[in-house]
Amino acid sequence: MAETWTIGRLIAWTTDYFKSREIESPRLDAEVLLAHLLERDRMYLYVHFDEPLEEAELAAYREMVRRRAAREPVAYITGVREFMGYDFRVTPATLIPRPDTETLVEASIDGLKRLRERMRGDTEELRFADIGTGTGAIALSVLAETADEAVHGRVCATLVDISKAALTVAKENAERLGVADRADFYAGDFLAPLARDGRAYDAILSNPPYIRADEMAELAPEVRNYEPRTALTDGGDGLGFY
């Protein structure tokens, strides 16, 4: 008789397995992967602890567990990372958005609001650029949070990245968030695309690489072995872009 693997049993086994592989958040990762596979939220798992999985689901989950045990980031396995309350598609071509970066988004929204107030009702749009946009998490979150033109006026963004693969992801995220009509995308190095387009910008945002090359070996394997190196370090002292 075949073994029955329920949701509860599977989470417990995976948690122990991830602990043995020194995964930092073993239970959370087990739950996130399983919830993604079942296309449910994590609360569903708690309510349906005794629900058995089908063989095809088990096979797919085993593959996800194998990848995570090899220290591949959860976001690359699921293809999604939550940021500012929005779901962003991520791929190995993009840096995974970090919660700390939400501070930059919040400060940018506040800065644009104060700029609009100083304009005293001027109807011209505000435009900012996001350099090294990756998934577009920073710029697109700002656009999503300033969608109410009655409050913020019209806010638009130019998203720049040297990686065309990253820009493809950013464009998809813009469509997902419903802000593509206020976003332009330029492939190029640092500020060069802005110099070519002849526009004036009210703000320039960026979260550029800042890790020293000699510190790369000390990073967690999830970062060191999987995230794009060019999004992490300038290959020198980490201050090149600054």
Side-chain angles (χ1 to χ4, degrees):
M1 184 176 178
E3 270 189 301
T4 300
W5 284 92
T6 63
I7 286 176
R9 185 184 175 198
L10 204 55
I11 289 174
W13 184 93
T14 306
T15 299
D16 288 341
Y17 179 59
F18 282 168
K19 284 180 180 177
S20 73
R21 301 301 296 248
E22 300 182 347
I23 301 296
E24 187 174 341
S25 50
R27 186 178 179 90
L28 175 62
D29 289 2
E31 292 178 359
V32 169
L33 291 174
L34 188 54
H36 178 76
L37 174 69
L38 299 177
E39 298 182 347
R40 305 283 189 172
D41 58 28
R42 287 170 57 211
M43 182 58 67
Y44 177 90
L45 305 180
Y46 285 93
V47 177
H48 297 82
F49 247 44
D50 296 327
E51 180 179 308
L53 269 70
E54 299 177 0
E55 188 55 43
E57 293 171 330
L58 284 171
Y61 187 66
R62 287 192 196 101
E63 175 59 15
M64 297 171 84
V65 169
R66 182 197 65 77
R67 292 171 63 183
R68 184 66 188 110
R71 305 303 287 268
E72 184 175 351
V74 170
Y76 288 158
I77 299 172
T78 63
V80 178
R81 179 61 175 253
E82 188 268 344
F83 181 84
M84 288 291 296
Y86 305 104
D87 285 337
F88 283 86
R89 179 172 179 253
V90 298
T91 75
T94 64
L95 195 72
I96 299 170
R98 269 65 167 178
D100 289 352
T101 309
E102 294 182 358
T103 303
L104 174 56
V105 174
E106 292 162 355
S108 302
I109 294 168
D110 183 61
L112 290 170
K113 179 181 178 181
R114 286 187 279 110
L115 180 58
R116 174 66 69 185
E117 290 170 351
R118 290 201 298 273
M119 293 171 71
R120 297 179 180 178
D122 193 313
T123 57
E124 289 186 13
E125 71 178 27
L126 293 179
R127 178 172 289 273
F128 67 92
D130 178 20
I131 307 301
T133 194
T135 61
I138 294 172
L140 301 179
S141 293
V142 172
L143 292 181
E145 292 293 310
T146 57
D148 188 345
E149 292 191 18
V151 176
H152 301 281
R154 183 169 175 81
V155 179
C156 298
T158 298
L159 288 69
V160 177
D161 204 290
I162 198 169
S163 166
K164 292 182 180 179
L167 280 180
T168 297
V169 175
K171 289 176 183 178
E172 182 177 327
N173 283 325
E175 293 288 347
R176 288 162 64 109
L177 269 64
V179 298
D181 62 320
R182 293 186 287 133
D184 294 326
F185 302 85
Y186 292 164
D189 190 14
F190 206 47
L191 298 173
L194 303 189
R196 291 194 299 267
D197 77 3
R199 282 171 167 158
Y201 287 85
D202 299 291
I204 295 178
L205 313 181
S206 188
N207 183 25
Y210 59 87
I211 299 170
R212 296 201 321 257
D214 60 6
E215 292 177 328
M216 289 293 292
E218 302 171 14
L219 299 179
E222 285 87 346
V223 179
R224 182 180 68 242
N225 297 336
Y226 288 95
E227 298 200 63
R229 186 180 180 86
T230 54
L232 297 168
T233 180
D234 61 2
D237 65 0
L239 299 176
F241 291 96
Y242 293 96

